[in-house]
Amino acid sequence: GTIIQAMAIFSTGDLSATPVVSLTSSILTSVFISAQLSHEWDASEENRQIDPAFYGFLPSSLKWRSFLLLQIFLTSTFNLVIRALSFVILSQRSTSAVMIVFGGELALYFLVKILRGDFQSWVPIYGAAGVLTSFMMRLLVKLCVDWTGCAQFRHQFDIGGAYWSLTLLLTCVIGAFAALSHGDRTLTIIMGIACAGLLVTYTLFLASINREYVATFLDARTASEYNVDRFFNATSDERKFDALAMNENLWRDIRNDVKDWLASSLPAYLEEEPPWLTDYHRSIIPEWAVDDKALLSRIRNENVEELLQERRGSVANLIGALPNA
């Protein structure tokens, strides 16, 4: 909606109140939703308990939280303005210019993911369905980050902290290229102000968050490396199971460690039956990880088998929906 409205204003030169207010409203609505999502997810006590290494950049002071929310809002606003204006400027030249710049950026992202062995999504779906799911999730998250700058998606299971920050820099590069290629002095000044605003607000944001979380915006680990670290750094066995809930490709390098841990821990779990050991937790224990078949049969009760059947059915339905499946 923002791009369509911006293109209409740019092509007609109509700067009357109605189209300008409509465009402004579209931009502010998009960035407000993005900023609020990032704020609520980080402030969630449940998220901070489940993944304390990632969630917690917001300080406890309500005053500082409000200030940071403003910085997130401004950063997202500048990001969207630059992207939309760049798209409009390049589209005036040719469709191929848009495809080369924005399509090239997407291609670079997927190339980096593939070369680093980080293409696989965290969703435990495998085979052709897993490839399709990973592609769609990677694409949707990248587009969301490109156009909203949502800080939630800097997670290593999504775009990753380092690439999230790099995307903001690429936004400025694209904006500068679009403005300079157009040659209009006024547009170049506007783009320069927007790029400077993006860099300044993001710098202020990083300087104001809880210091130990600055690294989450610069983290270059793959999803697999992050998940392995989360397993070994877990403060409880319940949190270790969170790592097992991910796609097995994200912890294939520690299969033997997982197997040894389960072999030593499962008998005690089944005797004590801790409240967190739900049927869901039992269902994510892979069959290959338990050599003792008697122990495995105690884990796989009737409810667990039903969960596994439902999961297999969902994956089968997804595969069946694929063309020529």
Side-chain angles (χ1 to χ4, degrees):
T2 299
I3 294 177
I4 294 174
Q5 294 175 68
M7 290 184 69
I9 292 176
F10 195 88
S11 60
T12 62
D14 184 4
L15 295 176
S16 59
T18 300
V20 171
V21 170
S22 178
L23 175 61
T24 303
S25 176
S26 177
I27 292 174
L28 295 182
T29 299
S30 298
V31 298
F32 176 78
I33 293 174
S34 171
Q36 191 65 25
L37 176 65
S38 298
H39 179 277
E40 290 185 0
W41 274 75
D42 188 79
S44 167
E45 290 300 326
E46 181 180 0
N47 287 339
R48 291 187 174 201
Q49 290 177 8
I50 292 175
D51 200 351
F54 180 80
Y55 295 105
F57 70 78
L58 289 172
S60 57
S61 168
L62 292 179
K63 178 181 178 181
W64 276 108
R65 282 195 179 191
S66 299
F67 176 75
L68 280 173
L69 184 59
L70 175 62
Q71 299 308 313
I72 296 173
F73 181 84
L74 291 174
T75 299
S76 296
T77 299
F78 284 124
N79 180 79
L80 181 53
V81 168
I82 295 169
R83 289 264 172 180
L85 188 56
S86 299
F87 190 97
V88 172
I89 292 173
L90 292 172
S91 68
Q92 296 298 307
R93 293 182 59 185
S94 66
T95 302
S96 60
V98 175
M99 294 299 296
I100 290 172
V101 174
F102 288 94
E105 186 196 13
L106 273 176
L108 174 64
Y109 168 69
F110 277 104
L111 179 63
V112 169
K113 284 291 185 183
I114 292 171
L115 291 179
R116 300 191 70 207
D118 198 27
F119 173 77
Q120 181 69 58
S121 166
W122 60 268
V123 180
I125 299 177
Y126 307 93
V131 173
L132 177 62
T133 300
S134 296
F135 174 77
M136 292 304 300
M137 290 188 67
R138 295 299 187 196
L139 177 62
L140 291 175
V141 168
K142 180 65 169 68
L143 291 175
C144 183
V145 170
D146 283 349
W147 294 94
T148 70
C150 182
Q152 162 63 26
F153 295 121
R154 77 190 191 284
H155 200 289
Q156 302 311 114
F157 292 157
D158 296 314
I159 195 172
Y163 210 95
W164 189 91
S165 294
L166 176 61
T167 298
L168 295 183
L169 293 178
L170 289 175
T171 295
C172 293
V173 172
I174 290 172
F177 171 78
L180 292 173
S181 65
H182 188 271
D184 184 87
R185 185 172 182 272
T186 302
L187 273 178
T188 302
I189 293 174
I190 293 174
M191 189 68 79
I193 293 173
C195 290
L198 173 59
L199 296 176
V200 169
T201 54
Y202 184 48
T203 301
L204 285 174
F205 170 78
L206 289 180
S208 304
I209 65 176
N210 288 328
R211 295 298 175 84
E212 61 269 33
Y213 291 94
V214 172
T216 66
F217 289 85
L218 306 171
D219 196 340
R221 286 176 295 175
T222 64
S224 175
E225 291 168 343
Y226 181 87
N227 199 48
V228 168
D229 288 343
R230 190 167 66 148
F231 177 84
F232 286 117
N233 296 330
T235 56
S236 67
D237 285 348
E238 181 181 4
R239 297 283 73 88
K240 285 182 181 290
F241 267 92
D242 292 335
L244 293 192
M246 302 297 105
N247 189 295
E248 284 190 28
N249 288 305
L250 300 190
W251 48 274
R252 62 179 179 272
D253 294 336
I254 57 169
R255 286 167 65 102
N256 291 334
D257 297 277
V258 169
K259 191 171 184 177
D260 292 342
W261 166 63
L262 289 173
S264 62
S265 302
L266 282 178
Y269 292 156
L270 295 176
E271 291 297 327
E272 299 168 4
E273 295 189 352
W276 59 263
L277 188 63
T278 63
D279 290 334
Y280 166 75
H281 288 92
R282 291 168 181 253
S283 71
I284 63 178
I285 298 174
E287 186 172 345
W288 58 261
V290 183
D291 291 329
D292 188 334
K293 300 307 176 184
L295 186 61
L296 182 63
S297 65
R298 293 175 61 191
I299 297 169
R300 299 284 176 86
N301 58 36
E302 184 176 340
N303 292 334
V304 171
E305 288 296 341
E306 289 181 3
L307 279 175
L308 291 170
Q309 289 296 331
E310 290 176 6
R311 197 173 298 156
R312 295 187 190 104
S314 298
V315 174
N317 290 335
L318 179 57
I319 296 175
L322 293 176
N324 302 319

